[in-house]
Amino acid sequence: MSPTDSLMAPTLVRRLACMLYESTLVFGIAVGAGLLFSIPAGMRSGMDERRPLFLAFIVVVLGIYFVWCWVRGQTLAMKTWGIRVVDRHGRPLGQLRALFRYACCWLWVLPPLAVVAPMKMSAGGMFGALLGWIALLALASNFHPQRQFWHDELAGTRLIPAPTAGK
């Protein structure tokens, strides 16, 4: 087996299932972080004038979560689905590479939102655009030589199979 083969991504279905589970966990983290910010700040609405600070706080908290987990090799969802993140040489990530990967991961969300935001679409339309973009990016991984997501290519990282907790 060549070194390239050992850095082949798990199946697309497995990676997408992991992302779905991760989104559930991230929702919980975001709610908790939102409470930590909004209760002491006395925010009564998501449209409060402190909304930009609120959103920045959520982004920072999620960044801390992901960087901390990726430096250790896995998030809880990745552990459950038997996936590890490594650099392009198969080594554990350092903090800067994990932080850069976090920034690159925003390619899954920001482009469709930036395109549809000026259109004043409904929430359903925005959700549809987001799902379409995610499907496009997921399918584009089939064109990568190791079936990696393109944000991993940009970040110099790879998702690889890892033994699950039960194995």
Side-chain angles (χ1 to χ4, degrees), residues 8-167:
M8 189 67 73
T11 66
L12 181 59
V13 170
R14 191 160 141 199
R15 289 178 289 153
L16 290 176
C18 182
M19 286 176 68
L20 183 62
Y21 181 27
E22 194 76 69
S23 67
T24 304
L25 298 173
V26 164
F27 178 77
I29 293 167
V31 167
L35 289 171
L36 281 175
F37 182 92
S38 61
I39 291 173
M43 287 181 68
R44 299 195 187 281
S45 166
M47 294 298 148
D48 189 290
E49 67 273 357
R50 293 166 284 195
R51 185 173 187 224
L53 285 174
F54 175 75
L55 294 175
F57 182 74
I58 300 292
V59 168
V60 168
V61 168
L62 293 178
I64 291 168
Y65 163 74
F66 281 114
V67 169
W68 186 81
C69 289
W70 291 337
V71 165
R72 285 154 183 76
Q74 298 172 297
T75 63
L76 177 60
M78 293 168 80
K79 191 173 198 170
T80 301
W81 284 94
I83 297 172
R84 286 189 72 75
V85 63
V86 295
D87 72 8
R88 66 174 37 124
H89 304 291
R91 298 181 302 238
L93 302 187
Q95 287 183 344
L96 284 177
R97 179 146 336 259
L99 183 61
F100 185 56
R101 183 176 195 264
Y102 176 68
C104 290
C105 284
W106 282 98
L107 290 172
W108 286 90
V109 178
L110 292 181
L113 295 181
V115 168
V116 300
M119 296 180 196
K120 307 276 191 237
M121 279 187 162
S122 67
M126 290 178 90
F127 186 69
L130 185 61
L131 283 181
W133 178 252
I134 288 171
L136 183 68
L137 283 183
L139 292 173
S141 71
N142 290 322
F143 297 103
H144 187 278
Q146 297 164 335
R147 295 189 328 247
Q148 297 291 335
F149 290 132
W150 289 98
H151 72 272
D152 281 308
E153 181 63 31
L154 286 171
T157 59
R158 300 288 182 264
L159 293 177
I160 60 171
T164 57
K167 292 183 181 178

